[in-house]
Short mmCIF file of all heavy atoms in Angstrom, two decimals:
data_model
loop_
_atom_site.label_atom_id
_atom_site.label_comp_id
_atom_site.label_asym_id
_atom_site.label_seq_id
_atom_site.Cartn_x
_atom_site.Cartn_y
_atom_site.Cartn_z
N LYS A 6 -62.63 7.89 -108.72
CA LYS A 6 -63.98 8.35 -109.01
C LYS A 6 -64.00 9.38 -110.14
O LYS A 6 -64.87 9.36 -111.00
CB LYS A 6 -64.60 8.95 -107.74
CG LYS A 6 -64.80 7.94 -106.65
CD LYS A 6 -65.42 8.59 -105.38
CE LYS A 6 -65.59 7.54 -104.28
NZ LYS A 6 -66.16 8.14 -103.06
N ILE A 9 -58.83 10.40 -114.77
CA ILE A 9 -57.39 10.64 -114.61
C ILE A 9 -56.99 11.68 -115.65
O ILE A 9 -57.36 11.58 -116.82
CB ILE A 9 -56.60 9.34 -114.79
CG1 ILE A 9 -57.02 8.26 -113.79
CG2 ILE A 9 -55.11 9.61 -114.72
CD1 ILE A 9 -56.60 6.87 -114.17
N SER A 12 -51.55 14.88 -118.85
CA SER A 12 -51.06 16.20 -119.21
C SER A 12 -49.90 16.06 -120.18
O SER A 12 -48.87 15.45 -119.86
CB SER A 12 -50.58 16.94 -117.95
OG SER A 12 -49.99 18.18 -118.28
N LEU A 40 -55.30 16.51 -121.64
CA LEU A 40 -55.18 17.95 -121.79
C LEU A 40 -53.81 18.26 -122.39
O LEU A 40 -52.78 17.99 -121.77
CB LEU A 40 -55.35 18.65 -120.44
CG LEU A 40 -55.32 20.19 -120.44
CD1 LEU A 40 -56.31 20.76 -121.44
CD2 LEU A 40 -55.61 20.72 -119.04
N PRO A 61 -64.07 13.47 -127.32
CA PRO A 61 -64.56 14.34 -126.25
C PRO A 61 -63.68 14.41 -125.02
O PRO A 61 -63.79 15.35 -124.23
CB PRO A 61 -65.93 13.71 -125.90
CG PRO A 61 -65.88 12.34 -126.41
CD PRO A 61 -65.01 12.35 -127.61
N ILE A 65 -57.35 20.96 -125.81
CA ILE A 65 -56.07 21.57 -126.19
C ILE A 65 -56.07 23.04 -125.76
O ILE A 65 -57.04 23.76 -126.02
CB ILE A 65 -55.77 21.47 -127.69
CG1 ILE A 65 -55.93 20.02 -128.18
CG2 ILE A 65 -54.38 22.02 -128.01
CD1 ILE A 65 -55.87 19.90 -129.69
N PRO A 95 -44.79 13.96 -125.12
CA PRO A 95 -45.47 13.76 -126.41
C PRO A 95 -44.87 12.62 -127.22
O PRO A 95 -45.28 12.42 -128.37
CB PRO A 95 -45.30 15.11 -127.10
CG PRO A 95 -44.05 15.66 -126.53
CD PRO A 95 -44.01 15.22 -125.10
N THR A 103 -52.80 0.59 -118.71
CA THR A 103 -51.56 0.75 -117.95
C THR A 103 -51.63 2.02 -117.09
O THR A 103 -51.22 2.02 -115.91
CB THR A 103 -50.35 0.82 -118.88
OG1 THR A 103 -50.22 -0.44 -119.57
CG2 THR A 103 -49.05 1.06 -118.10
N ILE A 105 -54.37 3.38 -115.87
CA ILE A 105 -55.30 3.07 -114.79
C ILE A 105 -54.61 2.23 -113.72
O ILE A 105 -54.76 2.52 -112.51
CB ILE A 105 -56.54 2.33 -115.35
CG1 ILE A 105 -57.37 3.25 -116.23
CG2 ILE A 105 -57.38 1.77 -114.20
CD1 ILE A 105 -58.45 2.57 -117.02
N TYR A 169 -29.11 -1.25 -110.61
CA TYR A 169 -29.13 -2.33 -109.63
C TYR A 169 -30.55 -2.55 -109.05
O TYR A 169 -30.75 -3.45 -108.21
CB TYR A 169 -28.16 -2.00 -108.47
CG TYR A 169 -28.47 -0.67 -107.82
CD1 TYR A 169 -29.48 -0.53 -106.87
CD2 TYR A 169 -27.76 0.48 -108.19
CE1 TYR A 169 -29.74 0.70 -106.27
CE2 TYR A 169 -28.02 1.72 -107.64
CZ TYR A 169 -29.04 1.81 -106.66
OH TYR A 169 -29.32 3.05 -106.13
N PHE A 185 -42.42 10.47 -117.92
CA PHE A 185 -43.66 9.81 -117.51
C PHE A 185 -43.71 9.73 -116.01
O PHE A 185 -43.02 8.92 -115.39
CB PHE A 185 -43.71 8.39 -118.10
CG PHE A 185 -45.07 7.75 -118.01
CD1 PHE A 185 -45.98 7.81 -119.09
CD2 PHE A 185 -45.46 7.07 -116.89
CE1 PHE A 185 -47.24 7.22 -119.00
CE2 PHE A 185 -46.71 6.48 -116.79
CZ PHE A 185 -47.61 6.52 -117.86
N VAL A 196 -46.31 21.28 -103.27
CA VAL A 196 -44.92 21.68 -103.47
C VAL A 196 -44.78 22.77 -104.53
O VAL A 196 -43.65 23.19 -104.84
CB VAL A 196 -44.00 20.47 -103.80
CG1 VAL A 196 -44.07 19.45 -102.67
CG2 VAL A 196 -44.37 19.86 -105.13
N GLY A 220 -41.39 15.70 -97.46
CA GLY A 220 -41.62 14.50 -96.63
C GLY A 220 -42.33 13.36 -97.32
O GLY A 220 -42.71 12.40 -96.70
#
Side-chain angles (χ1 to χ4, degrees):
K6 294 180 181 179
I9 300 162
S12 175
L40 183 52
I65 307 171
T103 297
I105 292 169
Y169 56 81
F185 193 95
V196 300

